[in-house]
Amino acid sequence: MKSIALAALAASALALPAAAADVTDRATLIKALMPRSFSWTGAYAGANAGYGGGDVSSDSLLFSTNSLTTLSTFEGRGATSSGFVAGGQGGFNYQLPNRFVLGAEADLQWSGIAARDQQQVLSPPGGVRASSATLDYFGTVRARLGYAMDRFMPYLTGGIAYGQAGFGHTALGLSGGFSASSSSALRWGWAAGAGAEAALTDHWTMRAEYLYVDLGSLEEARFDPAADLVALTAADLRFQTLRAGVNYKF
């Protein structure tokens, strides 16, 4: 009996390491099969494209060159701007243990956003004037605050903005005179918006973003010899964009 008990005990002792190894192997397999939690921490870079525009209002003081001391017309006009935008962005995210994501991002955009207006000048000698306000490019440097839902992250964003904006004008007098002028300037302002980003893989993400940009106003003084007018004009530079983009997370 003692021999049988000792043999059983020895067999049990030999089986314990094998059983422990089997449990370890199963735990490793289960861990390997379980989906990993995605982390938004890291640097990224990408590209985007979209559409933007807004309501543009301008105020002008028009003086007749025949009598510069006499105000000819005070004019307030409005137009709608629109156009495509495209560019690139880059930044860095840091995911906190409570799932909030802090980030910083900079982007630079080519812009086709423009507003055009045409009117007939009734003041002597009269004529037709066509004006345009254009945004050649703009960029932002913004902070981001997101909330990670594993591979999906809605976020808010805001920061500084800048852009190159310009005026273009042509005038055709009733007597046949013609003039054209243009000007541009760099303007600074602010931007704010919201978006959502989804991770397609561990490295590629896709996003959609709304952004409101305010670059203040653009002022200009010009002379239209075809219409014998001096015009002092100020136009606001406020627009909205809706963009879709992709990022590569390093």
Side-chain angles (χ1 to χ4, degrees), residues 3-249:
S3 298
I4 295 174
L6 289 172
L9 184 61
S12 299
L14 291 173
L16 283 175
D22 183 58
V23 171
T24 302
D25 291 341
R26 288 184 179 181
T28 303
L29 179 61
I30 292 173
K31 185 177 180 181
L33 293 176
M34 289 181 62
R36 291 182 299 164
S37 178
F38 181 79
S39 174
W40 290 90
T41 297
Y44 63 89
N48 70 80
Y51 198 77
D55 293 329
V56 177
S57 62
S58 64
D59 296 318
S60 298
L61 291 176
L62 306 179
F63 296 87
S64 170
T65 57
N66 295 323
S67 177
L68 290 178
T69 60
T70 303
L71 176 64
S72 176
T73 309
F74 175 79
E75 179 183 271
R77 298 185 66 83
T80 300
S81 66
S82 60
F84 290 97
V85 298
Q89 70 277 344
F92 185 86
N93 290 321
Y94 182 75
Q95 183 171 330
L96 302 173
N98 60 4
R99 296 187 182 181
F100 280 99
V101 179
L102 303 179
E105 179 177 294
D107 71 302
L108 182 61
Q109 306 288 131
W110 165 85
S111 169
I113 296 176
R116 293 175 175 82
D117 180 47
Q118 182 173 307
Q119 67 176 131
Q120 185 170 358
V121 180
L122 299 179
S123 301
V128 177
R129 293 190 298 134
S131 301
S132 64
T134 59
L135 182 67
D136 300 324
Y137 70 85
F138 71 95
T140 67
V141 179
R142 296 172 282 113
R144 297 206 309 168
L145 175 62
Y147 186 77
M149 303 176 184
D150 194 17
R151 292 177 174 267
F152 180 75
M153 181 183 67
Y155 62 87
L156 300 174
T157 184
I160 63 174
Y162 60 92
Q164 184 81 17
F167 281 128
H169 305 279
T170 58
L172 178 63
L174 294 180
S175 59
F178 176 81
S179 66
S181 64
S182 63
S183 62
S184 64
L186 180 65
R187 286 292 180 264
W188 292 82
W190 58 273
E197 194 164 357
L200 306 177
T201 69
D202 287 345
H203 293 287
W204 288 100
T205 69
M206 183 173 62
R207 66 156 64 166
E209 183 179 79
Y210 163 82
L211 201 64
Y212 178 86
V213 182
D214 186 340
L215 297 178
S217 63
L218 183 64
E219 298 82 22
E220 179 195 54
R222 73 184 187 280
F223 171 54
D224 287 344
D228 283 338
L229 289 175
V230 174
L232 307 178
T233 303
D236 59 37
L237 299 174
R238 303 178 183 91
F239 58 94
Q240 306 172 70
T241 64
L242 186 60
R243 303 177 294 177
V246 294
N247 285 322
Y248 182 83
K249 180 176 173 290

